[in-house]
Amino acid sequence: MKILVIFNREPYDSTDVTWNGLRLADTLLKNGHEVRIFLMNDSVDMARDVCKPPEGYDQDLSHMLKELIAKGGAVRVCGTCMARCGIYKNYPYFDGAEKSTMQALSEWVVDSDRIMTF
């Protein structure tokens, strides 16, 4: 099954929403599903090496995202949001996180069996 997970939130927003979404994506990959992740709005920071967990937070969300890429998860990041959103505006994305467009997202939406947003 092709599953699209869209993240919109700042990675470290004092909740576990993003962490739980990444955990679910990892479990879906382990269960043999094709997982596609699209980052937009403030979630784009998660695909930047400069993004580090705040003091006292016990999970490194960027590292988790890199692990998903290494396991075969596809990650695309809204190119427009790169310059408009997040704390680290205009910082580059790490390897494996592909700069993308709304057109590419729309194609993933149409081609996915399930879509989840976090």
Side-chain angles (χ1 to χ4, degrees):
M1 183 175 291
K2 295 177 188 174
I3 300 171
L4 172 59
V5 183
I6 301 171
F7 287 93
N8 283 284
R9 303 169 73 116
E10 177 185 340
Y12 301 105
D13 66 353
S14 300
T15 72
D16 284 338
V17 171
T18 299
W19 176 63
N20 283 317
L22 291 171
R23 290 175 55 225
L24 177 59
D26 185 55
T27 302
L28 290 163
L29 270 173
K30 286 178 185 173
N31 290 333
H33 299 286
E34 181 180 334
V35 175
R36 302 161 168 180
I37 296 172
F38 196 91
L39 306 177
M40 54 194 322
N41 297 317
D42 288 342
S43 74
V44 298
D45 276 348
M46 195 172 15
R48 294 173 165 144
D49 283 320
V50 70
C51 184
K52 303 293 182 201
E55 187 175 326
Y57 194 82
D58 62 346
Q59 300 295 324
D60 185 332
L61 303 178
S62 293
H63 180 74
M64 290 176 73
L65 186 62
K66 285 180 181 180
E67 287 181 340
L68 288 169
I69 292 168
K71 293 175 183 176
V75 175
R76 291 183 179 169
V77 190
C78 176
T80 303
C81 298
M82 179 182 187
R84 297 177 50 89
C85 302
I87 297 170
Y88 306 107
K89 295 175 185 164
N90 292 313
Y91 278 80
Y93 300 135
F94 51 67
D95 288 341
E98 177 185 338
K99 183 176 179 181
S100 195
T101 64
M102 286 304 240
Q103 178 62 40
L105 175 58
S106 71
E107 292 166 8
W108 265 4
V109 166
V110 170
D111 188 50
S112 294
D113 298 305
R114 300 281 189 275
I115 303 166
M116 297 176 286
T117 61
F118 289 90

